[in-house]
Amino acid sequence: MTESPGGSERVPSRDRRRFPGISSRAYEHPADRSALVALRKLSGFDTVFKTLSGLLPERSLRLMFLSDSVRVSDQQFTHLNDMLRDACYILDLEKVPPMYVNQDPQPNAMCIGLDEPVIVLTTGLVELLDEEEMRAVVGHEVGHALSGHAVYRTILLFLTNLALKIAWIPLGNVAIMAIVTALREWFRKSELSADRAGLLVGQDLQASMRGLMKLAGGNHLHEMNVDAFLKQAEEYEAGGDLRDSVLKVLNMLPRSHPFTTVRAAELKKWAASRDYQRIMDGHYPRRDEDKDTSVSDSFRESAAHYAESVRTSKDPLMGLVRDIAGGAGDLGGKLRDTVFRGGSRPGGSGGTGGSGGANGPDGANGADGANGPDGPGPAGK
């Protein structure tokens, strides 16, 4: 950060566009936005969750960070403090949330809190990323704070821990895990929203891409290539047969974050969109208009997004969904072709076709792994 000639205002350390009064709706993924709009419209919703704060370990977490982490300030991790204030200035977040650096070799970051958000970065992340890559991550976390994601993430952490404690109660555990699964699906979309916020703050797409690539492959940029990394996302979406599609779903269910290649591809697509360009040109929804937002309009946008995703997806399962929706004449034949694409069919020469176990890393990407900002487990945001 630098001071203006008059010494009264602090502005970003290099020339970046600022978005006065920007609403988080400007960058939120449609599914994320529709859920948030609906929650904000519920009368008494905030009061209920504030009441729950007595049941949640938030105060304990705050004391833990204060006592066993390093608080970012003008005296400690000053470069991170400058980035944080830059991000809040650019997104016009009036109150700068406290930020801590926690000793942990796992690259990770999170934004939690019911009364007010707290941002935590691990030393593994700080040591992994360069200045511009880290700026995108800090913007990602500030985007979570502006959207109010910290509240729901805190609830998700609480419910996940609760499910582990009552696992011996069959019906109780099933009920909690159903809620957790739904929250994880929403939170994966909220991560895409926060990635967009990080791009708005950093305003450097290549830095955002590098950061995500490092989270997947470590600090070996000379051995990696962004274009090749993005091609992995295309191969992941289109490759395999219906069995692989099912494995993708099963691999994704326990995770709180989309896979890193998918995040990179989604962010690049959004950066090339008209929506992004309009924001950069200064045309975006304002915060003071949030109260007038229509829940039904937000749900329609979300439904349209999912319909478009199904229409354009190269995934075999999505192709089958399109065929069913379009009233495919030979549905049985299409299903057979989809399942046994690339292998022998039942009754034909070569036996029964390939076994489902040979189709990719069944469960290799388990629960909440190193998903990058906001990665694993209780520390993951």
Side-chain angles (χ1 to χ4, degrees), residues 51-363:
T51 303
L52 279 175
S53 63
L55 304 175
L56 301 178
E58 180 184 10
R59 295 180 69 86
S60 175
L61 286 173
R62 288 177 184 275
L63 289 172
M64 182 184 68
F65 294 136
L66 187 62
S67 64
D68 205 31
S69 301
V70 176
R71 183 162 57 191
V72 172
S73 67
D74 287 330
Q75 292 80 39
Q76 302 186 116
F77 288 102
T78 55
H79 71 294
L80 294 178
N81 192 51
D82 286 345
M83 289 181 194
L84 176 62
R85 298 180 68 170
D86 271 5
C88 293
Y89 179 83
I90 289 170
L91 294 180
D92 200 16
L93 186 63
E94 183 175 351
K95 188 172 183 179
V96 179
M99 177 189 283
Y100 293 88
V101 175
N102 179 251
Q103 171 62 32
D104 186 343
Q106 178 70 48
N108 195 14
M110 66 176 174
C111 181
I112 61 168
L114 290 175
D115 292 320
E116 59 182 53
V118 174
I119 296 172
V120 181
L121 309 176
T122 66
T123 52
L125 187 68
V126 174
E127 293 163 3
L128 177 65
L129 304 181
D130 67 25
E131 181 177 354
E132 294 306 310
E133 295 159 5
M134 180 59 71
R135 190 181 302 278
V137 169
V138 173
H140 175 114
E141 302 306 324
V142 171
H144 275 309
L146 181 58
S147 286
H149 291 153
V151 173
Y152 316 121
R153 176 56 174 175
T154 305
I155 298 295
L156 176 57
L157 289 176
F158 170 72
L159 291 177
T160 302
N161 291 333
L162 178 62
L164 293 175
K165 292 178 181 178
I166 65 171
W168 58 277
I169 306 176
L171 293 180
N173 185 55
V174 168
I176 294 294
M177 287 310 300
I179 299 173
V180 167
T181 299
L183 280 173
R184 280 177 175 159
E185 166 58 19
W186 160 74
F187 204 80
R188 286 191 287 269
K189 298 302 185 292
S190 77
E191 287 303 308
L192 301 179
S193 299
D195 284 344
R196 296 173 179 184
L199 180 58
L200 291 177
V201 167
Q203 297 174 25
D204 184 343
L205 179 61
Q206 288 304 308
S208 293
M209 294 290 105
R210 290 197 312 271
L212 288 169
M213 191 165 61
K214 281 184 176 181
L215 290 167
N219 192 17
H220 303 282
L221 281 179
H222 62 290
E223 298 284 356
M224 297 185 285
N225 178 278
V226 171
D227 291 335
F229 185 65
L230 290 170
K231 285 182 180 177
Q232 290 180 222
E234 295 179 12
E235 183 178 345
Y236 170 77
E237 180 185 2
D241 55 27
L242 191 59
R243 293 166 297 181
D244 293 299
S245 298
V246 173
L247 289 176
K248 291 176 191 177
V249 173
L250 294 176
N251 287 340
M252 179 62 70
L253 283 177
R255 297 174 65 97
S256 62
H257 295 62
F259 293 112
T260 316
T261 57
V262 175
R263 289 173 65 182
E266 286 283 338
L267 185 60
K268 183 177 182 182
K269 183 165 59 176
W270 186 71
S273 71
R274 179 177 174 80
D275 289 341
Y276 174 72
Q277 191 55 57
R278 284 179 58 81
I279 295 174
M280 297 304 293
D281 290 341
H283 305 293
Y284 50 80
R286 259 54 178 190
R287 217 168 294 161
D288 56 13
E289 301 166 351
D290 284 350
K291 63 182 181 301
D292 301 320
T293 306
S294 166
V295 176
S296 58
D297 287 347
S298 297
F299 276 115
R300 276 195 292 270
E301 290 177 16
S302 179
H305 169 79
Y306 278 113
E308 178 66 12
S309 298
V310 171
R311 187 184 68 81
T312 59
S313 176
K314 299 176 182 177
D315 185 86
L317 181 58
M318 292 300 100
L320 184 61
V321 170
R322 286 196 300 269
D323 289 339
I324 294 173
D330 181 17
L331 183 57
K334 283 186 175 290
L335 178 59
R336 182 186 62 232
D337 292 341
T338 303
V339 172
F340 295 100
R341 181 185 301 161
S344 302
R345 298 182 184 177
S349 60
T352 60
S355 123
N359 290 291
D362 191 0

